[in-house]
Amino acid sequence: MSLRLLQHRAPDGTRSVVFADGASAHVLDGVASVRDLAQRAIAGGITLAAAARACARGSDIDLAQELAEGRFLPPIDHEDPAHLIMTGTGLTHLGSAEGRDKMHRDAATAAHQTDSMRMFLEGLEGGKPAPGAVGQQPEWFYKGDGSQLVGPGEALTMPAFAKDGGEEPELAGIYLIGTDGTPFRLGFALANEFSDHVTERHNYLWLAHSKLRQASLGPELLIDEAPSDVRGTSRIVRNGEVLWERPFLSGEDNMSHALANLEHHHFKYGLFRRPGDIHVHFFGTATLSFADGVSTQVGDTFEIEAAPFTLPLRNSLARAAGDDAPVAVKVL
């Protein structure tokens, strides 16, 4: 059964960490954050699961009830949001067999391949190198720092100037950089990477703009395993009714890149190996409502669920107040 860690906040504001093993879950006494627990594991040279099991067992907890009451935080955070870095990779998933076949046919017949098509095909060819070898580097983007991280049940808020707010159901890898600069993978979270697809569609060079948006994580951090075949459902609910729904696939079996290859091409940069930093890295998706012609509206609710996670990720869509007036810079 899957092992998960959750960050809980009681009505009085007290924080704790919940350790879930299969259907059972209990509070870990004396642990206020997953980051604290991970630092203990690193210092002790043990796994995160072993560190959790070494803690005194507190009260049992009903995960579904606590989720309904809004008691769960994102499964990772940092007391200084500037030291939590959100990034991601794209063009990493195979998609459906029909879609792959169409992409290959188009690539073979096109007089000039697009940069996106070239990157996708290069990932198919070299994204899963032999052990010890370096494979093809993927598309990479920056999403923001910890101030952009949204918890389960909270609204995903697009800027006032945004053209669109669309869901991206995927997995996110969670990492802590050790005191010697070693990246430690803590586990995986269910994620909604959230993007402005209208802006991206206008010009692919605006991808960087489209990704500077909030992102949400489901309440559970899956530890002690790397899910190779994740099968879930992504849906949009509007006015209490399902507007759009589709299955999605993730995990390494359904990707053109190995996780180790994606991790290498992120952490090869020394600035991403700063001791004490947290990294949330989104691994991409092949399933978007935008691709099916859906235009989201403020008040819509995104719902993402997938085994082995036991709790869904739900976020409503909101737009920030304000206008699109130019930002004036003062000269000193």
Side-chain angles (χ1 to χ4, degrees):
M1 299 293 285
S2 59
L3 304 179
R4 291 103 59 214
L5 293 173
L6 305 89
Q7 296 198 126
H8 182 268
R9 182 167 51 202
D12 64 359
T14 302
R15 288 179 54 131
S16 61
V17 172
V18 174
F19 181 48
D21 185 353
S24 66
H26 63 272
V27 173
L28 298 178
D29 283 344
V31 184
S33 73
V34 167
R35 180 169 172 265
D36 289 345
L37 185 66
Q39 288 175 323
R40 294 186 195 183
I42 293 171
I46 59 176
T47 66
L48 193 53
R53 290 195 172 103
C55 295
R57 176 172 182 146
S59 59
D60 290 346
I61 194 168
D62 185 321
L63 297 182
Q65 179 180 338
E66 297 299 307
L67 179 67
E69 294 179 1
R71 300 298 179 201
F72 289 122
L73 302 165
I76 193 66
D77 57 5
H78 196 291
E79 59 187 11
D80 181 355
H83 286 278
L84 188 153
I85 301 166
M86 298 200 302
T87 56
T89 50
L91 299 172
T92 54
H93 281 65
L94 299 173
S96 67
E98 178 183 358
R100 290 203 307 279
D101 180 63
K102 181 178 185 302
M103 291 184 76
H104 282 232
R105 291 200 312 270
D106 290 348
T109 58
H112 300 285
Q113 293 177 3
T114 66
D115 288 341
S116 294
M117 180 64 74
R118 288 175 55 210
M119 186 172 293
F120 174 80
L121 294 177
E122 287 171 358
L124 282 179
E125 182 177 355
K128 292 185 175 180
V134 174
Q136 182 68 32
Q137 66 182 359
E139 176 190 49
W140 181 96
F141 55 85
Y142 172 70
K143 281 200 67 70
D145 62 17
S147 65
Q148 296 291 85
L149 181 59
V150 171
E154 298 182 55
L156 281 164
T157 304
M158 54 185 167
F161 55 79
K163 304 299 183 184
D164 170 59
E167 87 298 333
E168 295 206 10
E170 50 196 87
L171 290 179
I174 311 300
Y175 305 86
L176 171 63
I177 309 303
T179 56
D180 64 350
T182 299
F184 288 87
R185 186 206 294 153
L186 309 188
F188 298 89
L190 198 58
N192 187 338
E193 193 253 297
F194 193 60
S195 242
D196 186 336
H197 300 110
V198 171
T199 292
E200 179 186 354
R201 182 179 61 183
H202 178 82
N203 188 319
Y204 81 97
L205 292 177
W206 284 0
L207 173 76
H209 288 278
S210 75
K211 294 298 187 181
L212 286 174
R213 299 293 186 268
Q214 293 182 333
S216 62
L217 295 178
E220 299 166 294
L221 177 66
L222 183 70
I223 64 173
D224 216 29
E225 65 175 298
S228 60
D229 183 18
V230 175
R231 297 170 182 264
T233 302
S234 177
R235 68 178 63 89
I236 298 174
V237 177
R238 179 177 295 170
N239 298 323
E241 297 184 355
V242 175
L243 172 71
W244 174 89
E245 181 177 79
R246 279 193 64 182
F248 73 93
L249 301 174
S250 192
E252 198 168 282
D253 289 353
N254 303 300
M255 297 171 65
S256 53
H257 285 263
L259 292 176
N261 191 53
L262 300 180
E263 291 169 338
H264 162 76
H265 284 295
H266 177 67
F267 291 113
K268 68 184 181 184
Y269 296 100
L271 77 163
F272 293 148
R273 300 195 304 273
R274 184 171 55 191
D277 280 3
I278 292 289
H279 287 254
V280 177
H281 194 72
F282 299 89
F283 288 122
T285 187
T287 304
L288 307 171
S289 65
F290 183 79
D292 290 339
V294 174
S295 296
T296 58
Q297 298 179 5
V298 169
D300 288 350
T301 296
F302 304 116
E303 296 185 354
I304 302 171
E305 54 189 11
F309 302 95
T310 66
L311 299 177
L313 172 59
R314 294 189 180 95
N315 303 96
S316 60
L317 176 63
R319 182 181 290 274
D323 53 34
D324 200 12
V327 175
V329 175
K330 293 183 178 181
V331 179
L332 290 178

